[in-house]
Amino acid sequence: GAGVSQSPSNKVTEKGKDVELRCDPISGHTALYWYRQRLGQGLEFLIYFQGNSAPDKSGLPSDRFSAERTGGSVSTLTIQRTQQEDSAVYLCASSLAVNGAGTFYEQYFGPGTRLTVT
Amino acid sequence: TQLLEQSPQFLSIQEGENLTVYCNSSSVFSSLQWYRQEPGEGPVLLVTVVTGGEVKKLKRLTFQFGDARKDSSLHITAAQPGDTGLYLCADTAIGQNFVFGPGTRLSVLP
């Protein structure tokens, strides 16, 4: 079946503009995660959604960042008034659910959106 | 806040050599996952380890989980150019977001 898809694959924007990044998770996956990966570095957690529960926004770096997930499926990450330090690859992942006692789920990642702020 | 460290940060070896990379946590892992990320792609899960002292093998890759569940190693035998990538360890906390280490960037030269 289809994996996680993200669009656009590349985005170049001017400083101060708003951008929207889209993630289509695997059908039936209730958990969805957003990460940021700066050049040559590891993954930085941003936000996750689990079913109809309130999202965990603890990783969002500033109030310029927001995300929503409509209908428990597609998610959009919005960055307002972009800054040069926002340049990174933004990765989305989905899993069947969040981990529970004795049960651990694999995250399936999309290819990412490479954002460049000039 | 849990911190994961990985070493070495970079590793460049010749095809056929063996190598080991490490992951250490400031606190006990809930469970540990190893991922490999190739350039331009998202990470792909290699293995999940849960029990202290656990050893798992995946072809030429051997994963060990420390007895105290605070460290792990990944050993690759007879490395091939296809093993090139960023190796990430992650703690898969219950009901919470995943915490990833900074990764070890491996380059296997033909």
Side-chain angles (χ1 to χ4, degrees):
Chain A
V4 177
S5 60
Q6 293 187 243
S7 61
S9 55
N10 284 284
K11 176 72 177 178
V12 180
T13 190
E14 293 180 352
K15 177 181 173 181
K17 301 278 189 178
D18 298 351
V19 295
E20 285 189 352
L21 312 179
R22 177 187 168 104
C23 172
D24 283 87
I26 294 173
S27 178
H29 281 194
T30 63
L32 185 148
Y33 305 77
W34 283 99
Y35 296 90
R36 178 169 68 181
Q37 186 174 33
R38 291 198 164 106
L39 185 63
Q41 298 187 19
L43 275 62
E44 176 187 0
F45 165 76
L46 297 177
I47 185 171
Y48 88 83
F49 299 85
Q50 167 56 35
N52 296 320
S53 302
D56 179 345
K57 304 180 181 181
S58 59
L60 294 178
S62 77
D63 59 7
R64 296 187 296 105
F65 288 72
S66 63
E68 62 178 20
R69 188 178 185 191
T70 53
S73 180
V74 171
S75 177
T76 302
L77 177 68
T78 301
I79 308 174
Q80 296 178 310
R81 305 181 302 281
T82 52
Q83 304 294 312
Q84 287 185 332
E85 62 262 28
D86 299 334
S87 295
V89 174
Y90 289 82
L91 291 161
C92 173
S94 71
S95 64
L96 278 172
V98 293
N99 298 326
T103 304
F104 301 96
Y105 297 99
E106 176 179 357
Q107 290 191 55
Y108 294 83
F109 284 84
T113 293
R114 181 174 298 279
L115 174 66
T116 304
V117 182
T118 60
Chain B
T1 303
Q2 181 184 28
L3 293 176
L4 300 187
E5 295 181 343
Q6 292 189 244
S7 61
Q9 185 178 0
F10 299 97
L11 185 57
S12 181
I13 61 171
Q14 294 293 133
E15 182 176 3
E17 293 183 356
N18 301 333
L19 67 112
T20 303
V21 299
Y22 301 91
C23 174
N24 292 281
S25 174
S26 59
S27 57
V28 173
F29 282 96
S30 299
S31 73
L32 184 149
Q33 292 185 331
W34 283 95
Y35 289 80
R36 179 171 66 214
Q37 183 180 21
E38 299 184 11
E41 300 182 9
V44 175
L45 179 68
L46 296 174
V47 75
T48 301
V49 286
V50 178
T51 305
E54 185 174 4
V55 177
K56 285 193 173 179
K57 293 190 175 184
L58 180 66
K59 296 183 180 178
R60 294 176 294 100
L61 278 60
T62 301
F63 304 86
Q64 286 192 301
F65 200 18
D67 291 341
R69 296 174 60 233
K70 293 186 69 176
D71 59 272
S72 179
S73 64
L74 160 57
H75 181 79
I76 302 178
T77 303
Q80 299 177 359
D83 297 327
T84 293
L86 179 67
Y87 287 81
L88 296 158
C89 65
D91 189 3
T92 59
I94 295 172
Q96 300 176 28
N97 59 283
F98 287 50
V99 176
F100 280 83
T104 291
R105 194 166 297 278
L106 172 65
S107 176
V108 182
L109 305 174

